[in-house]
Amino acid sequence: MTIAASATKKKGRSKAGPGLWKRLRVDYAKHKWIYWMMVPVMIYYIVFLYFPMAGQVIAFQDYRPAKGILGSDWVGLENFIDFFKSPFAFRTIRNTIMISLFEILVGFPAPIILALLLNEVRCKPFKSVAQTVSYLPHFVSLVVACGIVVDFVASDGLITHFLSLFGFETQNLLSNKVSYIVVYVLSGIWKNIGWGSIIYLATLAGVDQSLYEAAAIDGAGRFQQIRHITFPALIPIISIQLIMRIGQMMSMGAEKTILLYSPVVFETADTIASYVYRVGIQEQSYSLATAVGMFNSVINLSLVYFANWFSRKYVKESLW
């Protein structure tokens, strides 16, 4: 009986194999150009994302460019220990988590709210203008956008002068430890709110309009329609977007931080990304910078898995 079952199992495997390749050949014949369009994307990921992973080995070395990866001395976990023993570890981790939480709590709902508002606009010319105005900042270079922010919140800037009319102190907002975070988060909303709303507007465009007509006949007002029809239609995409955002919680871009912060606000502005930049580029401690970056990536991966598990269990939506 055991021999017969084994033979049946092997026979099943042999049939499954050719069937899979046959289906793949048929699918390739039908969607050949889609497969070829996928090739540049795969090459990009292999060359710029997967292949550089081999360089992560220097996190466990006392890396010297003159000796190369193969010639540098192994130090094990010494670089990780040095980071956690340094006075910068707690500060950078705390600041990264704090700013990311503010961005999630304030910045993440902003495109959703904008999409809901634009979806309720019935005047098409006004809607088009509002969308265009909100999209434009996304296409402005980050350097230029940060330059505008720096000028506007300077001690003699337009925003600072406007706030002084309401009794606020006339000072450079980026030199204050608290207002720096506010400026950082709000400037991110200003730059990305329009672009982020596109995916939500596209989702709302696919909602069956007969649902709104039926709700109106039943006496549902605008807010009731948004609550029971519009918002539930966004739940799946909101869940996916939130999972991906949580997975980037520890990966705040160093560019914006470097363009906005100064030593005066390091206590609340210095993040893991800016610390890696200073250590790796300015101080040329490549091994330590790589170790910190690897630690950051492991935390992000853990957050993605946790957020995906939580969403799958309680919201019934997930990435996998």
Side-chain angles (χ1 to χ4, degrees):
M1 293 295 293
T2 305
I3 296 175
S6 177
T8 304
K9 188 175 182 180
K10 290 182 178 179
K11 185 177 180 181
R13 285 180 180 175
S14 63
K15 288 183 178 180
L20 175 63
W21 285 107
K22 183 178 180 180
R23 290 195 301 272
L24 186 61
R25 286 196 299 268
V26 172
D27 191 65
Y28 174 78
K30 291 174 61 178
H31 309 102
K32 178 175 65 175
W33 296 114
I34 296 178
Y35 278 91
W36 280 105
M37 288 172 64
M38 185 174 65
V39 171
V41 179
M42 295 179 63
I43 293 175
Y44 169 82
Y45 275 91
I46 292 172
V47 173
F48 294 103
L49 295 178
Y50 287 99
F51 181 72
M53 285 184 183
Q56 295 293 317
V57 70
I58 70 175
F60 306 96
Q61 294 180 326
D62 181 17
Y63 177 71
R64 293 290 182 269
K67 294 182 178 180
I69 293 179
L70 298 179
S72 298
D73 299 328
W74 287 89
V75 295
L77 299 176
E78 184 178 324
N79 292 310
F80 296 91
I81 296 172
D82 289 343
F83 170 66
F84 286 110
K85 283 185 175 180
S86 72
F88 304 105
F90 174 76
R91 186 180 76 179
T92 55
I93 294 173
R94 180 201 62 197
N95 294 344
T96 303
I97 294 175
M98 181 174 60
I99 296 176
S100 291
L101 284 176
F102 276 115
E103 285 191 321
I104 292 174
L105 293 175
V106 181
F108 183 80
I112 302 172
I113 296 172
L114 178 63
L116 291 173
L117 292 174
L118 291 175
N119 188 61
E120 296 300 315
V121 174
R122 295 295 175 259
C123 179
K124 291 187 176 180
F126 176 80
K127 184 176 181 179
S128 299
V129 172
Q131 286 180 288
T132 303
V133 171
S134 63
Y135 295 165
L136 283 177
H138 176 78
F139 299 99
V140 177
S141 167
L142 182 62
V143 177
V144 176
C146 288
I148 294 173
V149 172
V150 170
D151 289 339
F152 273 44
V153 301
S155 56
D156 57 347
L158 180 63
I159 294 178
T160 307
H161 178 70
F162 176 76
L163 292 176
S164 67
L165 300 177
F166 297 91
F168 288 90
E169 183 181 354
T170 303
Q171 63 171 343
N172 188 336
L173 298 180
L174 291 176
S175 64
N176 183 282
K177 295 178 181 179
V178 177
S179 60
Y180 170 87
I181 299 176
V182 176
V183 172
Y184 188 99
V185 173
L186 293 182
S187 62
I189 295 175
W190 163 70
K191 194 173 191 307
N192 299 314
I193 185 173
W195 184 257
S197 66
I198 293 177
I199 190 170
Y200 301 110
L201 286 169
T203 303
L204 293 177
V207 178
D208 189 356
Q209 296 301 308
S210 63
L211 296 175
Y212 293 102
E213 297 173 1
I217 293 173
D218 290 339
R222 278 287 183 89
F223 287 104
Q224 290 177 316
Q225 292 177 25
I226 293 174
R227 178 183 175 185
H228 297 288
I229 300 175
T230 307
F231 191 73
L234 292 176
I235 292 297
I237 190 64
I238 290 175
S239 301
I240 300 301
Q241 292 290 100
L242 185 58
I243 292 171
M244 296 173 66
R245 180 62 188 85
I246 291 175
Q248 299 172 350
M249 191 170 176
M250 302 293 286
S251 295
M252 293 176 55
E255 299 87 354
K256 184 179 177 180
T257 302
I258 293 169
L259 291 169
L260 293 181
Y261 80 163
S262 63
V264 179
V265 291
F266 270 7
E267 185 62 31
T268 57
D270 194 20
T271 62
I272 292 178
S274 59
Y275 174 75
V276 169
Y277 167 80
R278 289 202 312 275
V279 171
I281 303 299
Q282 296 180 344
E283 300 178 11
Q284 298 182 356
S285 298
Y286 304 113
S287 295
L288 178 58
T290 305
V292 178
M294 180 180 291
F295 159 76
N296 206 28
S297 300
V298 171
I299 299 299
N300 279 333
L301 182 62
S302 303
L303 288 172
V304 167
Y305 271 91
F306 172 76
N308 190 76
W309 168 83
F310 186 88
S311 179
R312 184 174 64 246
K313 184 174 182 178
Y314 295 101
V315 188
K316 310 304 179 186
E317 298 288 344
S318 62
L319 282 173
W320 64 86

